[in-house]
Amino acid sequence: MRGKNKILVIRFSAMGDVAMTAPVLKEFMREYPDTELLMLSRSLFQPFFNDIPNLNFYPFEPKQQHKGFLGLIKLFIALRKQKITAVADLHNNLRSRIVSLLFFITGVKTARIDKGRKEKAELTRREQKILRPLKLTIIRYAEVFKTLGFPFGLQNKLTERRPQTLTPADFPFISFPKTQKWIGVSPFAQHLQKVYPLQKTETVLLALANSGHQLFIFGGSSEEEQIAMEWECKHKNVTSVVRKIKLEDELKLISNLDVMLSMDSSGMHLAALKNIPVVSVWGATHPYIGFLGYGQSIKDAVQADLYCRPCSVYGNVPCYRGDFACMNNLSESVVINTVLNKLSNGEKTTIGQTR
């Protein structure tokens, strides 16, 4: 199914899941360079797709003009003018299914992601848990395009790093030139069961900073901003970028990192967008569920071997044991050494900033 095709790609949220689509779409475009893609997602996430050729972005506004069923009808009417030839639903929620159905009714071929809910339930249940690696989400994304008639193989491999230029005017909190290894730290997540205890995180930060490395703390909420600022004020070589810069500039900074330390959260996937190696920390969730970042290895996932893990797919279920052992029993030294080993074994990063 080659030629002049225009595929509507739907993935509304969450940030990490949307970010995971970008490497897949890049590989798709290498296989089908003459195909047009129209990415439908929240406007905040547009920077993820800026460097993908032949891709246009259409903002989804669920709290404004696209609110409710009538808003989705309005969205469909507007999208029909784009002469869509196929719909790839990478979300498979109520809103995306409604939009897909409307296109299907009008004769447009549609396909939606199989989230593997049954296998994930077997992996996360308390009794008779079946602990086995499930299909990666990025592969599930690629399979949607195969159903539409666009098969392609995923390399799932980080390519050459291309640090973007940073200027003192846009990044006044950075000391130029770069003379240290830069470590990004994304210590927060939407659900607490995916967050390494903050006291233990601070111990890790202090050790890495005292090793002579510059750390940058990433986050999004005002509460996370306050925590990160406290760390910055207390420790040398620790800088918070939470709510200081826009997402587009965060990605520029990430492209200059030597490694990213992240929870099972969006930081892991933002780093993958810029081909930055990642050390990830897992608690209630597990890499076997399929959300490991593009190009990343389970060898770089720090986790405790417990019979109860994983207890949920998204980390939104409270610890039924009551002791949060998956994180509380995870030694800070293991996290620290994994990051340091990743730094020493990684490739050298070309400096991408100016004085």
Side-chain angles (χ1 to χ4, degrees), residues 194-214:
K194 299 202 308 187
V195 177
Y196 197 49
L198 296 181
Q199 185 176 355
K200 295 168 78 71
T201 297
E202 186 172 5
T203 300
V204 172
L205 298 181
L206 182 58
L208 294 174
N210 286 342
S211 298
H213 306 301
Q214 174 63 51

Side-chain angles (χ1 to χ4, degrees), residues 325-340:
C326 57
M327 285 296 199
N328 284 326
N329 293 354
L330 196 58
S331 169
E332 296 96 312
S333 62
V334 173
V335 179
I336 294 165
N337 289 331
T338 305
V339 174
L340 293 177

Side-chain angles (χ1 to χ4, degrees), residues 1 5-12 21 25 28-29 35-41 49 54-60 66 72 75-91 95-104 106 108-113 141 144-145 148 150:
M1 189 174 177
N5 296 286
K6 188 169 187 177
I7 303 176
L8 174 66
V9 183
I10 305 174
R11 180 72 223 197
F12 297 135
T21 67
L25 298 184
F28 174 90
M29 292 309 304
T35 300
E36 292 184 55
L37 297 177
L38 182 64
M39 184 70 205
L40 176 64
S41 190
F49 308 95
N54 235 15
L55 180 149
N56 291 311
F57 188 90
Y58 198 99
F60 174 61
H66 303 143
L72 293 177
L75 172 64
F76 167 69
I77 293 173
L79 289 171
R80 280 200 71 185
K81 299 176 183 178
Q82 299 285 334
K83 299 181 179 179
I84 302 297
T85 60
V87 177
D89 179 2
L90 305 185
H91 199 152
R95 287 167 171 161
S96 67
R97 288 197 295 270
I98 290 174
V99 174
S100 298
L101 177 61
L102 292 171
F103 274 102
F104 177 78
T106 58
V108 176
K109 188 171 184 179
T110 65
R112 68 170 61 106
I113 185 174
Y141 286 163
V144 176
F145 292 94
L148 292 174
F150 297 86

Side-chain angles (χ1 to χ4, degrees), residues 107 143 149 196 198 217 230 246 280 290 312 326 333:
E143 288 179 342
Y196 197 49
L198 296 181
I217 312 299
E230 289 177 0
K246 297 179 180 179
S280 51
S312 68
C326 57
S333 62

Side-chain angles (χ1 to χ4, degrees), residues 43-306:
S43 56
L44 170 66
F45 305 140
Q46 183 169 354
F48 298 160
F49 308 95
N50 286 344
D51 61 347
I52 301 179
N54 235 15
L55 180 149
N56 291 311
F57 188 90
Y58 198 99
F60 174 61
E61 301 175 354
K63 295 183 179 181
Q64 298 176 25
Q65 59 178 323
H66 303 143
K67 183 177 181 179
F69 181 73
L70 292 180
L72 293 177
I73 296 293
K74 182 179 179 181
L75 172 64
F76 167 69
I77 293 173
L79 289 171
R80 280 200 71 185
K81 299 176 183 178
Q82 299 285 334
K83 299 181 179 179
I84 302 297
T85 60
V87 177
D89 179 2
L90 305 185
H91 199 152
N92 194 4
N93 72 345
L94 180 60
R95 287 167 171 161
S96 67
R97 288 197 295 270
I98 290 174
V99 174
S100 298
L101 177 61
L102 292 171
F103 274 102
F104 177 78
I105 291 172
T106 58
V108 176
K109 188 171 184 179
T110 65
R112 68 170 61 106
I113 185 174
D114 175 8
K115 293 185 176 182
R117 289 188 174 92
K118 181 177 181 295
E119 308 98 277
K120 290 175 180 176
E122 293 173 344
L123 188 62
T124 56
R125 64 194 182 192
R126 297 188 190 183
E127 304 294 334
Q128 297 181 323
K129 185 188 297 291
I130 302 177
L131 187 63
R132 58 189 172 94
L134 304 183
K135 192 178 297 181
L136 290 172
T137 299
I138 56 173
I139 294 178
R140 295 183 186 275
Y141 286 163
E143 288 179 342
V144 176
F145 292 94
K146 181 180 180 180
T147 302
L148 292 174
F150 297 86
F152 67 103
L154 277 179
Q155 295 180 16
N156 192 21
K157 183 179 180 180
L158 298 182
T159 59
E160 180 183 359
R161 301 183 214 172
R162 296 181 179 178
Q164 295 176 262
T165 299
L166 309 181
T167 62
D170 294 329
F171 298 87
F173 48 84
I174 295 179
S175 298
F176 295 107
K178 178 181 178 182
T179 58
Q180 305 162 286
K181 289 291 184 70
W182 285 4
I183 302 173
V185 182
S186 183
F188 309 109
Q190 182 178 359
H191 303 295
L192 290 178
Q193 284 69 32
K194 299 202 308 187
V195 177
Y196 197 49
L198 296 181
Q199 185 176 355
K200 295 168 78 71
T201 297
E202 186 172 5
T203 300
V204 172
L205 298 181
L206 182 58
L208 294 174
N210 286 342
S211 298
H213 306 301
Q214 174 63 51
L215 276 62
F216 295 99
I217 312 299
F218 294 85
S221 70
S222 56
E223 181 182 358
E224 292 167 2
E225 178 186 24
Q226 182 178 352
I227 294 169
M229 282 302 300
E230 289 177 0
W231 288 338
E232 177 181 308
C233 293
K234 289 170 62 177
H235 305 302
K236 181 182 178 182
N237 291 336
V238 175
T239 301
S240 169
V241 301
V242 183
R243 300 171 73 91
K244 287 183 180 179
I245 52 179
K246 297 179 180 179
L247 180 58
E248 187 172 5
D249 287 329
E250 280 194 21
L251 291 171
K252 289 181 180 179
L253 176 56
I254 289 172
S255 75
N256 285 269
L257 298 177
D258 295 281
V259 69
M260 172 71 85
L261 171 61
S262 176
M263 305 298 103
D264 170 22
S265 63
S266 60
M268 174 173 59
H269 304 295
L270 298 188
L273 289 178
K274 296 301 178 180
N275 298 304
I276 302 302
V278 173
V279 171
S280 51
V281 179
W282 301 72
T285 57
H286 197 290
Y288 279 4
I289 294 173
F291 294 116
L292 192 66
Y294 179 91
Q296 295 164 25
S297 170
I298 196 170
K299 295 179 181 178
D300 299 318
V302 182
Q303 53 187 332
D305 185 13
L306 292 172

